[in-house]
Amino acid sequence: MDLLSSALPAFFQVRILPPGDGPLYEVTLRWIHFLAGITWIGLLYFFNLVNVPFQKELEPAYKGKVNLALMPRALWWFRWGAMMTVLAGFMYWMIIVAADARNAAVHGLSASSMNSVLNFLGIWIGAWVLEMLLVTHGKGALNKGWILAVFVGALMFGASTIYLKLNAHGWESSRMLSIGVGGGLGFIMLFNVWGIIWRNQKKIIAWTRANVTDGTPVPEQSAKLARQAFLASRTNTWLSIPMLFFMASASHYTFLVQ
């Protein structure tokens, strides 16, 4: 009781000072990034861990009505959560890149934050194009999840290695490099959401609505698009594991030292 009576006055005497304009901007970006990221990844895990097995158990007579009520709402939060996560995170990462470049200039090192941002975009957008081709045009063995995972894993490892090689000038911080890899995987996941999952799902939803409303037959193409969306979603689930590791390592585990 004596400890509590002495601790409470000390607690309420703590001064809380609002951050200045610069820190407030950075804190706001990080808060948006975290909140949107929880929404996005939470729904990603829901789709893969809960909804996939649930769809297999759902009776065909009810599947159309259930999905028309569930999927448009869930996919709205899913895709916009992904967009806000990546946009806020990318803006925050560019602040880190600029700060590293300024610190390098103070110590007489030549540094280009613009080159770092451009090679990040080039590497990860290029990696997604290749991954997208594997998911949407893969036939035979590539249509099997574990074989596709091997190819995508090798592609992501190669892209990460190239990114680190191109940003090994000595001035880049472990924080910048770690987010550069984790954020790159996040870029891949975002493009999968908008370029494959949502693009295919909105067609499937429209066909399902027409079938439920007036009995219009669902095109045979629906099964192929659903498979592509599933593979892209399952790819995102596996990529989220190293992505979250690298993002957390940026602040809590310094290991990409030069």
Side-chain angles (χ1 to χ4, degrees):
M1 193 67 182
D2 292 338
L3 179 62
L4 181 62
S5 61
S6 61
L8 285 176
F11 175 78
F12 287 110
Q13 289 175 8
V14 172
R15 297 178 64 195
I16 301 177
L17 299 177
D21 292 338
L24 181 59
Y25 172 69
E26 296 177 20
V27 167
T28 301
L29 282 179
R30 294 193 74 180
W31 179 77
I32 293 173
H33 181 63
F34 291 156
L35 183 60
I38 291 170
T39 303
W40 176 23
I41 301 303
L43 282 168
L44 174 66
Y45 291 165
F46 163 78
F47 284 136
N48 283 271
L49 300 179
V50 178
N51 191 56
V52 169
F54 171 72
Q55 292 293 327
K56 294 178 181 178
E57 298 174 2
L58 193 60
E59 294 183 14
Y62 298 104
K63 183 174 290 188
K65 293 181 179 180
V66 169
N67 287 335
L68 284 178
L70 171 67
M71 297 305 290
R73 298 173 184 175
L75 286 169
W76 190 92
W77 288 101
F78 180 65
R79 67 183 185 273
W80 288 110
M83 181 68 73
M84 293 303 298
T85 301
V86 172
L87 286 179
F90 185 65
M91 293 171 67
Y92 182 76
W93 178 73
M94 287 197 295
I95 295 174
I96 295 174
V97 175
D100 283 358
R102 288 194 299 270
N103 291 336
V106 171
H107 292 88
L109 299 176
S110 177
S112 173
S113 58
M114 181 59 67
N115 285 342
S116 296
V117 172
L118 290 178
N119 66 47
F120 170 91
L121 293 173
I123 291 167
W124 292 111
I125 291 175
W128 176 74
V129 171
L130 296 176
E131 184 259 356
M132 180 267 295
L133 292 174
L134 288 173
V135 172
T136 59
H137 291 76
K139 298 179 180 179
L142 281 176
N143 201 37
K144 296 182 178 180
W146 70 271
I147 295 179
L148 176 65
V150 171
F151 279 88
V152 172
L155 176 61
M156 296 304 112
F157 180 81
S160 300
T161 301
I162 294 172
Y163 169 76
L164 294 174
K165 290 289 185 181
L166 291 180
N167 292 276
H169 305 99
W171 60 268
E172 298 91 344
S173 66
S174 177
R175 191 183 188 193
M176 168 190 158
L177 296 175
S178 188
I179 297 178
V181 175
L185 297 175
F187 257 67
I188 298 289
M189 294 167 63
L190 171 70
F191 294 146
N192 279 344
V193 169
W194 283 89
I196 302 176
I197 298 171
W198 172 237
R199 187 181 64 180
N200 289 10
Q201 286 290 350
K202 65 182 178 181
K203 294 178 182 178
I204 296 171
I205 290 171
W207 292 333
T208 302
R209 180 174 289 110
N211 177 260
V212 171
T213 302
D214 54 25
T216 303
V218 176
E220 294 183 2
Q221 185 186 6
S222 176
K224 179 180 179 180
L225 295 184
R227 179 63 179 172
Q228 292 176 1
F230 167 77
L231 290 174
S233 182
R234 188 54 56 90
T235 297
N236 277 10
T237 302
W238 288 112
L239 289 181
S240 72
I241 298 173
M243 181 272 290
L244 290 171
F245 170 80
F246 279 100
M247 298 303 286
S249 297
S251 298
H252 303 291
Y253 181 37
T254 302
F255 71 109
L256 293 176
V257 293
Q258 304 181 41

